[in-house]
Amino acid sequence: MAEQIIYCIVISAIQIVALSILVFTALSSELRFSKTINGLLMLLLEAVAVSVYLMVFSDVPIFKELSFLISVVFNVFTIFFFLIYFRGNFYQNLFVIFIVKNYLDIVSMCVADLKKICIVFFANPLWGDVVILVGMTVISLPFAYLFMAKLLRRVIVETKAMSFWRFIWTIPLCFFLLFRFSVYPQIEQQSFINIIFVPIIWTVGTFYVYYIILRVFSEMSKNIALEEQVRLMDLQIEMRQLQYKKLQEHWEEIRRIRHDMRHHFRVVQDLAGDKRFGEIETYMAGLMEDIAFKPNVYLCENTAVNALAGYYKKKAEDAGIAVDFKFDVPEDCFVSVGDLSVIFGNLLENALEACERQDGGETFIKASAISSYGSRMVISVKNSFAGGLMPLQDTFVSSKRQDGEAGVGIVSVRAIAQKYMGTVKIDATGGCFSVYVMLHKKS
């Protein structure tokens, strides 16, 4: 009995460690609890796993009869355990968990097949299982880790708010069910040829499908990023055209003033000759008011932020929207010009569009940005809105979108926040839509 308990502890520990490594690799930024609580939860999962193994491998008749049901309950418990363990996109988390479950099923299949070939080399079958499981895990885990770290984690970050995850998670679920109800029950009846080829075909086929799916998602994300860059380039061109138009207007004004200056001097000279000094003062005051230039909008030191904020400030004021901008962003900010343009361009554009869609009532945009000690930036954009928002995971979607997806802009902002080890928080209460972005300098 003691040997069986040790066997169950070792087997469950190996699988739990492999499961945890792979899931944490993909979802490490979505941990819900502190390190202490996480550690206690993992000990709880290990205790449950050991109990399940003891029941399944025991000689108690009722446990033998209910072994399949016990296995199902344990798998459901494990899935919900990790769904609680991580926050973020529920469907993304399901996708990751079932992929890892597929990997563990493949390892179990290989262990079962290798045991038939290598059983003669082990005096104790229980410890033969342990040796084979350790060997298979050591060989396969690095490849699974690279798959999760290099491809899956990147795609998850890039496509977090996209709606297709609501459906894609069912693909690894289907693989999981197909293996449990079709492939695994046939392992005991396989011929020697099948023992060799079935694990290879199943493994390659399963992960090739996942590779293709994730590559497609990655390309979609790149295309979205390119579209966003093109949109921002168009915006920059439009802003430069406006600046050029203003320069032209100022130049024409200067030419007019220079042309009229001799006439003004003649009037002043005549007034002075008649000693009408009070009229000279009045005339000069009117002249100064006429030729005074309206200064360009200056909101902060950073050129990119100042240009974008000034552009949207003018558009909002022209539309009769109350604007309150307070920015403290230095020119040598740790956030790149391109990333600043994406964040401020998208947030201010979304705020302006939301106000323009209002049929009545107060419309306003309040925005602020503070860069602290050159290592942290906090951005806040608030605007009025007329309702019609639908919750989608930890964001909101405008009801004007027929596809039910979060806009490209907010997805881009989230991706940049992840890049700078930051967060994005969205709130919509009391007719005020708020977005808070926290960015940290990369070490």
Side-chain angles (χ1 to χ4, degrees), residues 325-341:
F325 287 175
K326 296 178 181 178
F327 298 121
D328 181 16
V329 184
E331 184 65 41
D332 57 344
C333 178
F334 66 89
V335 184
S336 70
V337 173
D339 292 338
L340 284 173
S341 299

Side-chain angles (χ1 to χ4, degrees), residues 95-113:
F95 184 85
V96 171
I97 292 167
F98 278 115
I99 281 185
V100 177
K101 281 286 187 181
N102 293 162
Y103 162 76
L104 294 177
D105 286 343
I106 289 171
V107 172
S108 297
M109 176 172 59
C110 293
V111 169
D113 286 342

Side-chain angles (χ1 to χ4, degrees), residues 112-267:
D113 286 342
L114 287 173
K115 186 168 63 174
K116 296 176 185 178
I117 301 173
C118 304
I119 192 67
V120 295
F121 300 106
F122 298 102
N124 189 326
L126 289 180
W127 297 110
D129 281 357
V130 172
V131 172
I132 295 172
L133 178 60
V134 170
M136 282 302 306
T137 303
V138 169
I139 293 171
S140 61
L141 189 58
F143 295 101
Y145 173 82
L146 288 174
F147 176 84
M148 306 295 279
K150 299 297 184 181
L151 182 58
L152 181 56
R153 181 169 59 189
R154 175 168 54 83
V155 173
I156 283 176
V157 171
E158 293 172 350
T159 62
K160 181 178 180 181
M162 294 186 180
S163 63
F164 53 69
W165 290 107
R166 287 180 287 179
F167 313 103
I168 296 301
W169 70 273
T170 58
I171 294 177
L173 170 64
C174 289
F175 274 104
F176 176 78
L177 296 175
L178 183 63
F179 179 87
R180 292 290 171 142
F181 292 101
S182 180
V183 177
Y184 194 76
Q186 303 299 321
I187 288 179
E188 295 299 329
Q189 289 78 39
Q190 286 181 353
S191 63
F192 181 77
I193 297 297
N194 288 341
I195 289 175
I196 296 174
F197 287 104
V198 168
I200 296 174
I201 294 172
W202 182 263
T203 303
V204 173
T206 300
F207 279 91
Y208 183 71
V209 169
Y210 296 149
Y211 175 79
I212 295 298
I213 292 172
L214 294 175
R215 285 293 298 176
V216 170
F217 290 173
S218 180
E219 292 302 318
M220 286 174 55
S221 176
K222 289 178 182 177
N223 290 336
I224 290 173
L226 287 174
E227 291 176 3
E228 182 69 8
Q229 289 178 6
V230 170
R231 191 185 68 81
L232 288 171
M233 287 178 64
D234 291 340
L235 177 62
Q236 290 174 349
I237 291 172
E238 185 178 351
M239 287 192 300
R240 288 178 181 177
Q241 287 175 338
L242 285 174
Q243 289 175 340
Y244 178 69
K245 183 179 178 181
K246 287 183 179 179
L247 286 174
Q248 280 187 316
E249 291 173 352
H250 287 169
W251 176 245
E252 291 297 326
E253 184 71 10
I254 290 171
R255 288 180 60 189
R256 183 186 66 79
I257 292 172
R258 289 180 62 184
H259 178 268
D260 295 340
M261 193 62 69
R262 59 192 180 89
H263 301 298
H264 294 306
F265 285 156
R266 186 180 299 278
V267 171

